[in-house]
Amino acid sequence: PLTALLLTLSLSGCVRMTLAWAPDKPRGLEAEPAIAAESVAAWEAKKPEIRATLETEIYGRMPDDARVELISHKVIDEAAFDGIGVYEEFDVRVTPVFDGGPASPPSPLMIAVLSPQGEGPFPVIMTETFCPSWAALPHPQASAPEDRESGEAPGIITYVFGRYICTPPLEMIMEAGFALAVVNSTQVVPDSGDAGLAALDRLAPGMVGEDDRWGAIGAWGWVFSRMVDVLGAEERFDEDRLIAYGHSRYGKAALVAGAFDERIAGVIAHQSGTGGASLNRQKVGESVGSITKNYPHWFAPRYAAFAGEEERLTYDQHHLIALVAPRPVLLGNARRDVWSDPNGGFKAAQGAEPVYRLYGEGPITLERLDAYQPQHPLSFWMRPGTHGVVEEDWPAFLEFLEAHF
Ligand code: GCU
């Protein structure tokens, strides 16, 4: 049986209409993927091997170390966006280090932060967006290239992918007492096949051509950790409450960041799909073959070799989620976003659940896709509609964040 039904009607040979929906209860996996961990000690002992295998088979080698240099820190506006928050910019340079080997030239990274008025220390929602920081936090004094046309996301993007695809609801976030940090991680690895691959090779000297060369998803995950380096050192921000949030490809990166860096206090991975929260085995929606063909720079080359043979993967995405345990994770989904396979994500969350329970995080029971339980450290948010960050997403995210941070 299929976990989602895709019905394609061909009308007079030229009009094609695709109807897709996700059933209430995920079906389709023959075997429960639930992780059988016996004790916290046994699970903790297994984590390094799981991480290493996920690197080899899916994400590629992650750097062993990082160099981070703060070039400047400027408070741009003490009362930005009609006084709702303080706007700061951290201009940094970041360099990955592999095996203590030669470092590449550093990459620039601009971290723009809006934080509530007052003393702090504030919890921070760290995010990577599809827009440059000056467009995600559109402020006239924000650092931006001189040729920038505007600080606004093009209307067509927000029309298609939702009101909050670029700029989250700043007022709502400030009122909830969270700071918001934004980077454009494509400053480090551009999101295009050739330029992305060239940057990955340049950043990992000596690893060129290897089967497990790192991919952009891993690199963007690594960029989340650089935000932790910088913001965690500032008194205004609470180093124990730094949360990684991303949508879609950056949702994949946020999960990787949480799985590989235990300083990240929680993760919101919205519609992260293939290579993110949804299982590789018995895949619905975007296949391993398709994602590795269309985005050759996102993963280790070896991931492509599992296309059509996903059962050969040693671990699946529920292991990635479980590596974040017991820290809170929210997986966001939309019912008609079948490409990102919400059912596969739900199954993965169910598979990771026993690990959360091991840590005494209970009772957690994920039974229905649409029963939102934001108080659970492993939560699954399903709304109607399609791919994007829309009106009802952020109140749901904040409900989860307020329950845990
Ligand atoms: C494409 C891609 C997905 C990805 C998405 C996004 O649809 O196939 O894997 O998550 O883009 O980042 O919006």
Side-chain angles (χ1 to χ4, degrees):
L2 295 168
T3 51
L5 180 63
L6 282 169
L7 178 62
T8 303
L9 302 174
S10 292
L11 301 176
S12 55
C14 57
V15 184
R16 289 170 72 84
M17 191 170 75
T18 300
L19 305 173
W21 65 90
D24 282 342
K25 295 232 177 193
R27 291 185 291 271
L29 282 167
E30 278 146 25
E32 259 302 314
I35 295 170
E38 276 156 25
S39 65
V40 168
W43 171 252
E44 287 289 334
K46 206 166 166 48
K47 277 159 61 172
E49 190 257 317
I50 298 177
R51 287 193 181 110
T53 309
L54 289 174
E55 287 182 64
T56 314
E57 296 184 351
I58 302 181
Y59 301 103
R61 267 292 301 282
M62 299 290 277
D64 310 298
D65 209 351
R67 292 187 194 151
V68 179
E69 203 187 338
L70 180 61
I71 306 295
S72 73
H73 170 215
K74 287 186 251 170
V75 175
I76 303 285
D77 189 346
E78 296 272 5
F81 303 104
D82 296 327
I84 62 167
V86 180
Y87 192 121
E88 294 164 77
E89 283 181 348
F90 297 84
D91 183 8
V92 298
R93 300 281 179 276
V94 298
T95 318
V97 180
F98 289 91
D99 289 336
S104 56
S107 308
L109 187 70
M110 174 63 78
I111 309 177
V113 189
L114 184 70
S115 52
Q117 299 287 2
E119 284 270 300
F122 298 106
V124 187
I125 303 166
M126 306 180 296
T127 183
E128 299 185 355
T129 79
F130 290 80
C131 310
S133 54
W134 49 266
L137 284 175
H139 189 284
Q141 267 88 54
S143 297
E146 279 175 9
D147 58 359
R148 83 164 176 189
E149 282 181 7
S150 110
E152 301 291 321
I156 181 75
I157 292 184
T158 47
Y159 179 75
V160 176
F161 294 114
R163 171 162 180 194
Y164 299 135
I165 189 68
C166 183
T167 304
L170 303 178
E171 205 169 336
M172 208 189 283
I173 293 171
M174 295 306 112
E175 265 172 21
F178 288 82
L180 176 75
V182 180
V183 295
N184 177 11
S185 52
T186 58
Q187 280 192 289
V188 180
V189 176
D191 191 13
S192 77
D194 289 347
L197 286 168
L200 289 159
D201 286 345
R202 183 181 59 79
L203 292 167
M207 300 192 62
V208 181
E210 285 187 22
D211 254 4
D212 61 354
R213 104 142 145 73
W214 68 332
I217 299 293
W220 297 332
W222 180 85
V223 169
F224 270 112
S225 295
R226 306 303 52 93
M227 283 196 263
V228 173
D229 297 338
V230 174
L231 303 176
E234 295 289 318
E235 278 182 10
R236 258 177 82 68
F237 309 120
D238 185 345
E239 61 175 338
D240 296 323
R241 290 185 295 161
L242 302 174
I243 299 121
Y245 155 66
H247 167 247
S248 213
R249 65 200 66 187
Y250 301 115
K252 306 181 208 295
L255 261 184
V256 169
F260 281 81
D261 186 344
E262 303 206 348
R263 299 172 305 163
I264 288 175
V267 175
I268 299 179
H270 187 50
Q271 300 176 319
S272 61
T274 306
S278 91
L279 294 171
N280 294 296
R281 289 181 175 83
Q282 301 179 45
K283 188 125 223 19
V284 170
E286 186 174 28
S287 66
V288 173
S290 153
I291 201 168
T292 51
K293 183 162 171 282
N294 294 333
Y295 305 96
H297 57 302
W298 279 7
F299 301 98
R302 212 174 271 145
Y303 190 35
F306 292 98
E309 300 177 35
E310 291 79 6
E311 66 290 345
R312 284 202 303 111
L313 282 159
T314 312
Y315 296 109
D316 212 325
Q317 301 307 111
H318 54 313
H319 289 93
L320 185 74
I321 299 169
L323 285 171
V324 188
R327 291 162 289 148
V329 175
L330 172 59
L331 305 176
N333 297 272
R335 196 165 276 272
R336 283 195 294 123
D337 181 22
V338 177
W339 185 241
S340 82
D341 189 12
N343 292 316
F346 190 74
K347 272 282 176 195
Q350 285 181 316
E353 218 177 34
V355 177
Y356 275 84
R357 277 198 241 117
L358 270 187
Y359 287 93
E361 296 290 352
I364 309 176
T365 311
L366 292 161
E367 276 175 345
R368 281 170 55 97
L369 280 101
D370 55 358
Y372 186 38
Q373 297 168 308
Q375 74 283 4
H376 283 183
L378 178 54
S379 284
F380 195 87
W381 157 245
M382 175 74 111
R383 63 158 166 79
T386 56
H387 199 66
V389 192
V390 305
E391 197 77 37
E392 61 259 60
D393 286 326
W394 265 98
F397 298 166
L398 285 168
E399 231 186 303
F400 169 81
L401 290 172
E402 286 179 320
H404 300 282
F405 299 100

